[in-house]
Amino acid sequence: MKKVLLLLFLVAGTAMAQTGFVQYEAILASMPEVEPIRKELGDLTTKLRTELESAEAKSAEKLQDLQYQAQKPGTTPEQKQGLAQQAQALQQEFANASKAAELQLGAKENDLMKPILTKLNEAIQAVAKEKGLKLVVNASQVVYSEPGANISIDVAKRLGIKIDADGTAAAAGN
């Protein structure tokens, strides 16, 4: 029984020694390819927001007109019901447009970020293989580690960027 427990501790210790962590978000934020993507996504967000605000204003105007028509004297209950259905359709149309804009933005972000994330993941894998690591986790999940488990600087070097030991972008001239 003691031999089995000793073997388990040795295996667990070996696995821990083969684990590293990386400051994924910090490295990603430091990659020069990310800034133009942020700008492009910001521009797209502004464009979509402007379009949605315009659609919302038109929808509000139409809704106000429908309310006015519903409150006119002589409007029958059937007409009021038809106007209410038109109002619901307008609200649903705006909700759909809003969701479509959100999906469009998400799809664009995924398309633009995919090659950068692939590049980062490949760098992490290469450094992990060089160091003989079997597992690399995101630094945000690490509570404690032994010195040397942080491979962030090695990954950043492989990508041609500089970060400090704490994961922040290194100052110019370092």
Side-chain angles (χ1 to χ4, degrees), residues 8-79:
L8 287 175
F9 283 123
L10 288 174
V11 169
T14 303
M16 295 274 282
Q18 296 173 341
T19 301
F21 70 91
V22 67
Q23 294 165 328
Y24 198 89
E25 290 82 11
I27 295 171
L28 183 62
S30 298
M31 293 176 74
E33 302 97 320
V34 172
E35 192 55 39
I37 290 173
R38 280 193 189 125
K39 181 177 178 351
E40 186 172 341
L41 291 174
D43 292 346
L44 180 58
T45 299
T46 301
K47 177 184 172 250
L48 292 173
R49 186 176 296 128
T50 301
E51 289 173 1
L52 280 175
E53 287 170 355
S54 175
E56 184 178 30
K58 288 176 185 176
S59 182
E61 190 178 305
K62 289 178 184 177
L63 284 172
Q64 193 173 21
D65 184 49
L66 291 172
Q67 283 179 331
Y68 173 76
Q69 289 179 26
Q71 293 172 353
K72 281 167 86 178
T75 305
T76 67
E78 293 81 20
Q79 290 172 323

Side-chain angles (χ1 to χ4, degrees), residues 19-24 124 135-142 149 151-152:
T19 301
F21 70 91
V22 67
Q23 294 165 328
Y24 198 89
I124 292 168
L135 176 69
V136 177
V137 296
N138 192 341
S140 66
Q141 304 302 313
V142 174
I151 64 169
S152 301

